[in-house]
């Protein structure tokens, strides 16, 4: 008897074993995150899924029930071919899904604003005093955060390179490659860009992914609430070395973070324009690197794509040349007609609106508007008398209307 029970239990465990093997490789970090923003995003996924299951589960169950109840072999099922309407059933079918859609819409709308990555944090963790719920972007400044007992946000500038990650800490004057650290329960403000192609910055335990694009800057506000060593990676394919574009994110105490900063300052070299241009070159599976000093405005130079000496920055292109005196520097074409015309400078902005009439090929207008009271046209839709209406001119100064170009008064453009 004991042997039979043992065999029975073994069979049950063997039946469960394939399911255990299938799920053993799953990483549940998204469903068990360590940062408050990621926790709120997880809750949003669970709530939305639960609301949708309120429709999906009953539909699946009723489908199976109907298929079983009204199967061909069931002779006891009631056959009602003339039944076609039920008010109660209509209310059930349409009312419940409508209420669920309204709930999903309200949840999505509020969450879209509350979890906006550009929005400063309203709290650092669920059990902490809130700073200010529903605070518009930019209204929650550092002084307000300090007054509410929350530390000044840690500024981290992120550059997606081919194929590695560069992290700059402007407050501490250091930079790292493929390694990131931040104190627990301290807000983090990431400012992100890319050196060449679009990429995506993603730490599942911290917050959702944010895209990085060359020549642009994106922002993410987040916080880590549990100490640990977390994985970060690129979640947007960016070339041959994409699979190795990974880094480690360390959530540490304040003392541990200061020790990490001191370690970077002791072991690293300097990051200037020349060393950045070398780092920017494509490379794969790059080991962790430290830089104990960073050239001023390095991140801004990367965003404006002018790290290379002598290259004009995008802001200079918009507001003037290298010296600020030429308003068309970098985006201009040589003047025409000897500089005569609306733009009499030596250079002019490219574009038809800024060119002379003879340069862009325009001339006199042959479709001057007509006066329907004098030329006999009809305002009724589809009237044949309006066929050449735009080519007619009213009689003025004894001139006869004509529809032939060259024999009529024209409106000069």
């Amino acid at each position: 008897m004991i042997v039979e029970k043992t065999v029975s239990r073994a069979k049950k465990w063997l039946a469960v074993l394939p399911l255990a093997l299938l799920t053993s490789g799953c990483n549940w970090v998204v469903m068990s995150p360590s940062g408050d923003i990621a926790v709120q995003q997880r809750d949003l996924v669970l709530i939305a899924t639960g609301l949708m299951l309120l429709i999906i589960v009953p539909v699946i169950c009723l489908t199976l029930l109907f298929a079983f109840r009204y199967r061909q072999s069931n002779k006891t099922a009631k056959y009602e071919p003339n039944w076609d309407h039920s008010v109660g059933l209509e209310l059930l079918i349409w009312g419940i899904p409508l209420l669920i859609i309204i709930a999903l819409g309200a949840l999505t709308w509020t969450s879209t604003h509350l979890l906006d990555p550009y929005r400063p944090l309203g709290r650092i963790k669920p059990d902490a005093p809130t700073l200010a719920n529903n605070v518009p972007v930019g209204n929650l400044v550092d002084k307000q955060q300090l007054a509410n007992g929350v530390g000044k946000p840690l500024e981290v500038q992120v550059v997606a390179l081919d194929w590695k990650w560069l992290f700059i800490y402007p407050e501490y004057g250091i930079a790292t490659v493929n390694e990131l650290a931040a104190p627990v329960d301290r807000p983090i403000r990431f400012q992100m860009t890319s050196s060449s192609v679009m990429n995506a910055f993603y730490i599942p335990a911290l917050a959702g992914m944010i895209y990085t694009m060359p020549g642009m800057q994106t922002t993410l506000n987040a916080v880590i609430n549990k100490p640990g060593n977390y994985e970060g990676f690129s979640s947007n394919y960016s070339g041959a070395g994409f699979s190795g574009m990974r880094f480690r994110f360390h959530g540490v105490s304040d003392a541990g973070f200061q020790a990490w900063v001191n370690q970077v300052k002791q072991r690293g070299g300097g990051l200037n324009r020349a060393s950045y241009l070398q780092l920017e070159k494509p490379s794969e599976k790059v080991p962790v690197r430290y830089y104990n000093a960073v050239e001023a405005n390095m991140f801004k130079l990367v965003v404006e794509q002018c790290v290379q000496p002598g290259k004009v920055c995008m802001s200079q292109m918009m507001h003037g040349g290298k010296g600020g005196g030429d308003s068309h520097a970098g985006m201009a074409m040589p003047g025409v007609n000897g500089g005569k015309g609306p733009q009499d400078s030596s250079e002019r902005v490219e574009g038809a609106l800024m060119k002379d009439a003879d340069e862009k090929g325009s001339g006199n207008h042959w479709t001057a508007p007509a006066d329907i009271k004098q030329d006999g046209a009809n305002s009724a839709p589809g009237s044949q008398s309006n066929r050449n209406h735009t080519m007619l001119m009213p009689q003025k100064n004894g001139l006869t209307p004509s529809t032939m170009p060259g024999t009529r008064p024209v409106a000069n453009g």
Side-chain angles (χ1 to χ4, degrees):
M1 191 69 178
I2 298 177
V3 175
E4 291 179 357
K5 290 183 178 180
T6 304
V7 173
S8 178
R9 290 176 181 176
K11 289 181 178 180
K12 291 180 180 179
W13 282 109
L14 288 174
V16 177
L17 182 60
L19 180 61
L21 292 175
L22 288 174
T23 59
S24 61
C26 296
N27 189 343
W28 292 93
V29 63
V30 175
M31 292 291 105
S32 181
S34 302
D36 185 56
I37 295 298
V39 169
Q40 295 181 63
Q41 292 173 338
R42 177 206 59 192
D43 294 344
L44 176 61
V45 171
L46 293 176
I47 294 172
T49 303
L51 287 172
M52 289 183 285
L53 287 177
L54 290 178
I55 288 293
I56 296 173
V57 172
V59 168
I60 293 176
C61 293
L62 289 174
T63 300
L64 297 175
L65 175 63
F66 291 163
F68 176 78
R69 180 175 177 81
Y70 297 102
R71 66 192 186 278
Q72 185 178 6
S73 60
N74 187 8
K75 305 300 181 180
T76 61
K78 187 181 292 186
Y79 178 61
E80 296 178 318
N82 297 323
W83 181 90
D84 61 356
H85 183 70
S86 171
V87 175
L89 189 59
E90 290 287 345
L91 290 175
L92 183 68
I93 292 174
W94 294 104
I96 295 179
L98 180 60
L99 293 175
I100 293 176
I101 291 172
I102 292 174
L104 281 172
L107 180 67
T108 302
W109 189 88
T110 56
S111 299
T112 299
H113 290 80
L114 293 175
L115 296 177
D116 182 356
Y118 284 76
R119 178 191 182 91
L121 299 182
R123 69 183 192 187
I124 57 174
K125 53 185 176 181
D127 57 345
T130 58
L131 299 177
N133 288 328
N134 300 318
V135 177
V137 175
N139 286 6
L140 189 59
V141 297
D142 297 341
K143 291 182 179 179
Q144 289 175 307
Q145 291 177 324
L146 292 171
N148 285 277
V150 180
K152 179 181 177 182
L154 174 66
E155 300 283 347
V156 181
Q157 298 167 341
V158 182
V159 182
L161 301 167
D162 295 333
W163 286 274
K164 56 261 177 192
W165 293 93
L166 172 65
F167 304 106
I168 302 173
Y169 291 77
E171 181 180 349
Y172 299 93
I174 61 173
T176 62
V177 173
N178 288 344
E179 185 174 272
L180 178 65
V184 171
D185 293 341
R186 179 177 177 182
I188 313 170
R189 181 182 296 130
F190 294 100
Q191 296 175 325
M192 295 172 283
T193 190
S194 177
S195 64
S196 58
V197 298
M198 184 171 73
N199 226 298
F201 175 82
Y202 189 29
I203 304 175
L206 182 70
M209 70 175 185
I210 301 295
Y211 283 99
T212 65
M213 289 159 281
M216 299 179 64
Q217 176 181 313
T218 51
T219 302
L220 170 65
N221 286 280
V223 62
I224 191 71
N225 300 122
K226 298 177 182 178
N229 185 351
Y230 306 102
E231 182 180 26
F233 54 90
S234 169
S235 56
N236 186 81
Y237 181 74
S238 58
F242 161 76
S243 60
M245 197 171 174
R246 297 175 177 270
F247 62 92
R248 304 306 302 181
F249 171 53
H250 303 284
V252 295
S253 63
D254 291 338
F257 178 72
Q258 188 58 52
W260 179 83
V261 171
N262 294 335
Q263 177 185 352
V264 174
K265 289 184 177 181
Q266 293 172 3
R267 295 174 52 186
L271 180 65
N272 53 26
R273 294 193 181 203
S275 56
Y276 172 83
L277 292 174
Q278 289 296 321
L279 179 65
E280 186 184 35
K281 295 179 180 179
S283 56
E284 300 181 26
K285 298 181 180 179
V286 178
V288 174
R289 296 181 187 177
Y290 295 148
Y291 298 94
N292 57 17
V294 182
E295 184 174 331
N297 297 322
M298 176 61 69
F299 181 74
K300 182 179 179 181
L301 295 176
V302 176
V303 173
E304 299 199 7
Q305 299 182 329
C306 56
V307 178
Q308 187 173 356
K311 188 174 181 179
V312 180
C313 296
M314 291 191 297
S315 61
Q316 293 175 323
M317 290 182 182
M318 300 301 177
H319 297 95
K322 296 179 183 179
D326 184 0
S327 60
H328 303 140
M331 300 179 67
M333 59 178 294
V336 297
N337 299 332
K340 299 177 181 179
Q343 291 76 40
D344 54 2
S345 61
S346 58
E347 292 184 345
R348 65 179 63 198
V349 177
E350 184 178 2
L353 292 177
M354 305 302 294
K355 297 179 182 178
D356 295 335
D358 57 344
E359 180 185 357
K360 60 184 179 181
S362 63
N364 297 327
H365 298 301
W366 295 104
T367 57
D371 186 345
I372 62 174
K373 294 182 179 179
Q374 298 185 36
D375 62 21
N378 193 325
S379 61
S383 175
Q384 288 295 321
S385 60
N386 293 330
R387 189 178 183 87
N388 295 317
H389 184 55
T390 57
M391 295 295 292
L392 295 175
M393 289 283 290
Q395 289 188 6
K396 290 182 180 180
N397 301 325
L399 296 175
T400 303
S402 173
T403 60
M404 295 299 294
T407 61
R408 50 167 279 190
V410 297
N412 291 324

